[in-house]
């Protein structure tokens, strides 16, 4: 009887681990981010062992999500999603623009770190979008940044800032279509892309409704990056 009880207990533990791993592997990554954002809003943050995590991450990193967001000091993805070291591959630049450098960084995380989720995150009152709407005189370097935002703003004025911010998120997502790597991953359902906006007042991140269509993204022509006979060299940061 005791032997049978031990056997049943071992089976219970084994199947519990199996189904837990299965549910994790099939987990909707936006659900995980949303849960962290809800903890941030409520102030009930999860406990973190930063020293232990730092030591465990010395040799490698495996971020499950990429967050492209603005450089605004009030928008910190690790905080607003209540995440810890090694979980998010964060790229921050004013106006969350998809420049060549940003696109290369996203490709690196998707192809070499196997991150399978990208959130392009704008935020309310974005100064970069506001400056692009104003079309005032500025420095050449700032102007080069604003030029990457202005195509999204043709229908809008300064009174339409909220809509302009959403339109900019949409535009930056469509620009991901320059990457043959990302297009292939999305076409094979190995990579998800979402757009969202962060609100200062509530602390909430809301996905765009409707989400930007990826049909135009997938139809963009791209230059072949790698020869089929020469696989890309794996690099580690």
């Amino acid at each position: 009887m005791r032997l049978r009880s031990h056997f049943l207990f071992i089976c219970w533990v084994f199947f519990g681990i199996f189904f837990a791993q299965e549910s994790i592997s099939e987990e909707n990554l936006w659900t995980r981010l949303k849960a962290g954002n809800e903890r941030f809003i409520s102030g009930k943050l999860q406990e973190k062992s930063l020293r232990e995590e730092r030591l465990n991450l010395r040799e490698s990193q495996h971020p499950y999500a990429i967050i492209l967001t603005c450089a605004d000091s009030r928008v910190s993805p690790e905080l607003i999603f209540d995440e810890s070291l090694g979980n998010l591959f964060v790229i921050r630049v004013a106006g969350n623009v998809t420049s060549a450098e940003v696109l290369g960084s996203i490709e690196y995380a998707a192809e070499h770190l196997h991150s399978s989720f990208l959130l392009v995150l704008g935020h309310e009152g974005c100064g970069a979008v506001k400056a692009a709407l104003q079309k005032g005189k500025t420095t050449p370097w700032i102007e080069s940044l604003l030029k990457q935002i202005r195509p999204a703003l043709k229908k809008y004025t300064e009174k339409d800032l909220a809509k302009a911010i959403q339109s900019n998120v949409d535009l930056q997502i469509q620009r991901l279509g320059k990457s043959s790597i990302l297009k292939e991953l999305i076409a094979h359902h190995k990579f998800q892309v979402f757009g969202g906006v962060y609100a200062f007042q509530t602390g909430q991140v809301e996905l765009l409704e409707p989400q930007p269509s990826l049909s135009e993204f997938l139809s963009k022509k791209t230059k072949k990056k790698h020869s089929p006979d020469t696989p890309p060299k794996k690099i580690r940061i």
Side-chain angles (χ1 to χ4, degrees), residues 1-13:
M1 184 71 177
R2 182 177 296 178
L3 182 62
R4 182 184 176 188
S5 298
H6 283 312
F7 174 75
L8 291 174
F9 176 76
I10 291 170
C11 288
W12 177 77
V13 171

Side-chain angles (χ1 to χ4, degrees), residues 111 180-181 184 223-233:
E111 186 178 29
S180 59
I181 290 172
E184 183 177 353
K223 295 180 180 179
K224 200 168 186 179
K225 187 173 181 181
H226 302 299
S227 165
D229 299 323
T230 309
K233 183 180 178 181

Side-chain angles (χ1 to χ4, degrees), residues 17-211:
I17 293 172
F18 173 79
F19 285 114
Q21 289 176 337
E22 184 178 35
S23 64
I24 290 172
S25 65
E26 296 177 354
E27 181 182 30
N28 183 308
L29 298 180
W30 166 243
T31 301
R32 176 172 175 174
L33 286 171
K34 184 178 180 182
N37 184 229
E38 289 172 353
R39 293 193 300 272
F40 170 72
I41 293 168
S42 67
K44 299 176 181 178
L45 305 179
Q46 61 185 355
E47 187 176 346
K48 301 175 181 64
S49 301
L50 294 178
R51 183 180 182 279
E52 182 180 347
E53 290 174 6
R54 171 174 56 82
L55 295 174
N56 290 337
L57 291 166
R58 284 176 296 179
E59 300 299 327
S60 63
Q61 57 172 320
H62 304 283
Y64 70 88
I66 308 164
I67 311 292
L68 167 58
T69 192
C70 187
D72 190 297
S73 62
R74 300 164 291 179
V75 185
S76 176
E78 293 89 347
L79 295 178
I80 64 180
F81 291 115
D82 188 30
E83 275 293 4
S84 194
L85 300 174
N87 291 331
L88 301 180
F89 191 90
V90 178
I91 307 165
R92 298 181 65 180
V93 58
N96 41 271
V97 299
T98 311
S99 64
E101 294 80 6
V102 166
L103 193 55
S105 299
I106 294 172
E107 283 189 342
Y108 170 77
E111 186 178 29
H112 297 281
L113 301 180
H114 307 294
S115 303
S116 57
F117 183 97
L118 167 64
L119 175 63
V120 179
L121 183 62
H123 67 90
E124 67 175 6
C126 180
V129 175
K130 191 182 297 183
L133 285 167
Q134 292 171 345
K135 300 179 182 179
K137 194 172 183 180
T138 184
T139 71
W141 294 111
I142 294 178
E143 182 61 27
S144 69
L145 181 93
L146 300 182
K147 281 182 179 179
Q148 299 180 70
I149 299 173
R150 288 202 179 105
L153 313 181
K154 294 177 180 178
K155 299 179 182 178
Y156 304 108
T157 66
E158 291 182 56
K159 295 180 181 180
D160 307 310
L161 181 59
K163 292 181 179 179
I165 289 168
Q166 294 181 21
S167 180
N168 180 52
V169 170
D170 193 341
L171 172 67
Q172 305 310 327
I173 288 176
Q174 298 303 330
R175 283 182 171 161
L176 298 171
K178 298 175 182 178
S179 167
S180 59
I181 290 172
L182 297 181
K183 286 175 65 174
E184 183 177 353
L185 289 172
I186 289 172
H188 289 85
H189 307 288
K190 294 181 179 179
F191 194 74
Q192 292 179 298
V193 180
F194 285 83
V197 176
Y198 171 67
F200 291 132
Q201 181 66 31
T202 62
Q204 187 172 11
V205 173
E206 291 190 5
L207 295 185
L208 298 186
E209 292 291 346
Q211 278 292 302

